[in-house]
Amino acid sequence: MSLEEKLEQAKGSVKEGVGELTGDEKLEKEGTAEKVIAKVKEVAKDAKDIVEGAIDGVKNAVKKDDENTDQVDDKVDQAKGSVKEGVGELTGDEKLEKEGTAEKVIAKVKEVAKDAKDIVEGAIDGVKNAVKKDDENTDQVDDKVDQVKGSIKEGVGKLTGDEKTEKEGTAEKVIAKVKEVARDAKDAVEGAVDGVKNAVKKDEE
């Protein structure tokens, strides 16, 4: 319990006692209310600390067993936000309540963005595999798919505020485009060389 909470409870008790002693019911009730509110705040803060400690313990235990810790982190952050929001609501602390709501929403957005990225990447891999079966020129398909993957990664990074993911996506997109352009240039040069060879062959005949 903080010193401030002890003082609030003590003030409430004094007010309650003076009200009782002087027969002032209003003062007595105000004192009782202040004492109870201070006690509720104390209990809520203790509960918050206990829950956050438990969440951290679960998070650490799961991290050891689970490679996919980003999803665990998002769930834990949502739970922390909910606890903070609830404690803020219980204690009448609007700032704490709003912070908790914001943290909960941000964690949910991150989780949804990661799920969307996984779904889109799965779909891209499916298309890539289907096209590979029908198309011998898979290098070009790979380049296009890598550009799309890079764009998605870049977008998810922007959406979640993850600069590292955003930069990785941009880099992957650019690299895939450079490869595609290089292949097109190579094909054009080879086509021109073949054209010259064919023209020379006709003249020799």
Side-chain angles (χ1 to χ4, degrees), residues 37-50:
I37 289 168
K39 186 67 180 170
V40 167
K41 283 183 179 179
E42 175 197 350
V43 169
K45 284 181 184 151
D46 289 346
K48 178 186 170 219
D49 292 341
I50 291 165

Side-chain angles (χ1 to χ4, degrees), residues 89-116:
E89 192 175 343
L90 184 66
T91 61
D93 186 338
E94 282 187 40
K95 184 180 174 224
L96 188 67
E97 184 180 350
K98 286 178 182 175
E99 283 175 3
T101 304
E103 287 173 15
K104 190 171 71 170
V105 169
I106 288 167
K108 187 65 181 172
V109 167
K110 284 183 177 178
E111 180 190 6
V112 169
K114 283 176 188 144
D115 289 346

Side-chain angles (χ1 to χ4, degrees), residues 193-205:
V193 169
D194 287 342
V196 170
K197 280 183 183 175
N198 290 336
V200 171
K201 274 187 183 175
K202 284 182 185 172
D203 288 343
E204 286 178 353
E205 292 173 356

Side-chain angles (χ1 to χ4, degrees), residues 111-129:
E111 180 190 6
V112 169
K114 283 176 188 144
D115 289 346
K117 178 186 167 210
D118 292 343
I119 290 166
V120 173
E121 284 187 345
I124 288 170
D125 287 341
V127 170
K128 185 175 170 181
N129 291 334

Side-chain angles (χ1 to χ4, degrees), residues 6 30 69 91 104 122 156 173:
K6 283 183 181 174
E30 282 175 4
T69 55
T91 61
K104 190 171 71 170
V156 168
K173 189 172 72 171

